[in-house]
């Protein structure tokens, strides 16, 4: 029964690991997240517009990358559309499947998945990759689902840790676990 305790617990956010990248690196980054993160923290939501600033004192305002990892809880059963906004590069993974690949230098660009069927009160592995080359920096993770218009995924639906009760792949690559 303890396996299910994480489902009802309060949301924490996602684990954010921030890396400084070499200013002379080739973009888009072929090998992001090299070495050790200069900043690791829990971000309650991923809804950032840093502009020309820095996410934190240890992070350079340009030439940085971020990997957010954790679990996402579906509040209702139905079709979900995930949206990421990136300036510059952004990728989105759900249960290990790369569903969005916007890994390029760009102004704030919006990418959305096709609708994905999720089951209420189920935790799914989520990972967002991001890099900032130069100029403005924007990173946002959003969703919409039946009864909920497009919005930033709230802290209540995000977990840095917690027992994964089951992984549901149906509708992503067609396999059931």
């Amino acid at each position: 029964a303890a396996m299910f305790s994480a489902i009802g617990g309060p949301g924490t956010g996602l684990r954010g690991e921030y890396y400084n990248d070499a200013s002379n690196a080739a973009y888009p980054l072929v090998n992001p997240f090299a070495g050790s993160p200069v900043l690791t923290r829990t971000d309650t939501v991923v809804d950032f517009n840093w502009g020309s600033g820095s996410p934190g004192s240890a992070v350079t305002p340009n030439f940085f990358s971020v990997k957010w990892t954790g679990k996402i809880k579906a509040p209702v059963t139905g079709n979900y559309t995930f949206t990421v906004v990136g300036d510059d590069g952004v990728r989105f993974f759900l249960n290990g499947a790369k569903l969005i690949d916007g890994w390029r230098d760009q102004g704030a660009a919006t990418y959305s998945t096709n609708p994905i069927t999720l089951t209420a009160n189920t935790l799914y592995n989520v990972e967002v990759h991001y890099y900032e080359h130069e100029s403005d920096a924007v990173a946002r993770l959003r969703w919409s689902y039946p009864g909920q218009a497009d919005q930033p995924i709230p802290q209540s639906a995000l977990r840095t840790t917690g027992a994964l009760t089951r992984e549901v792949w149906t509708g992503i690559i067609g396999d059931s676990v």
Side-chain angles (χ1 to χ4, degrees):
M3 286 288 288
F4 293 92
S5 61
I7 290 285
T12 52
L14 295 178
R15 175 186 176 94
E17 296 173 296
Y18 292 74
Y19 296 78
N20 289 330
D21 303 312
S23 60
N24 62 349
Y27 284 84
L29 291 174
V30 176
N31 184 29
F33 322 126
S36 299
V38 294
L39 172 65
T40 300
R41 68 184 183 194
T42 297
D43 286 320
T44 54
V45 294
V46 178
D47 190 39
F48 295 108
N49 181 355
W50 291 298
S52 58
S54 161
S57 58
V59 184
T60 54
N62 291 308
F63 317 116
F64 69 87
S65 52
V66 190
K67 178 167 58 177
W68 286 282
T69 54
K71 300 181 192 307
I72 197 163
K73 186 178 87 166
V76 301
T77 297
N79 282 336
Y80 286 69
T81 298
F82 292 91
T83 298
V84 290
V85 181
D87 177 349
D88 289 288
V90 68
R91 290 174 174 151
F92 173 78
F93 302 79
L94 191 68
N95 274 2
K98 182 166 63 178
L99 301 184
I100 290 174
D101 190 353
W103 203 245
R104 62 185 59 88
D105 285 18
Q106 58 199 342
T110 301
Y111 298 88
S112 294
T113 64
N114 293 321
I116 303 160
T117 302
L118 302 184
T119 303
N121 295 321
T122 300
L123 288 170
Y124 299 83
N125 289 316
V126 63
E127 193 163 314
V128 179
H129 295 176
Y130 170 80
Y131 80 80
E132 155 63 1
H133 185 181
E134 290 183 289
S135 192
D136 287 345
V138 176
R140 303 187 193 280
L141 173 62
R142 308 174 63 87
W143 67 2
S144 59
Y145 55 87
Q148 175 59 58
D150 178 68
Q151 66 162 13
I153 299 182
Q155 179 182 359
S156 59
L158 300 174
R159 305 280 186 282
T160 52
T161 58
L164 190 64
T165 56
R166 56 188 181 273
E167 291 189 346
V168 181
W169 292 74
T170 308
I172 299 175
I173 56 172
D175 294 332
S176 296
V177 175

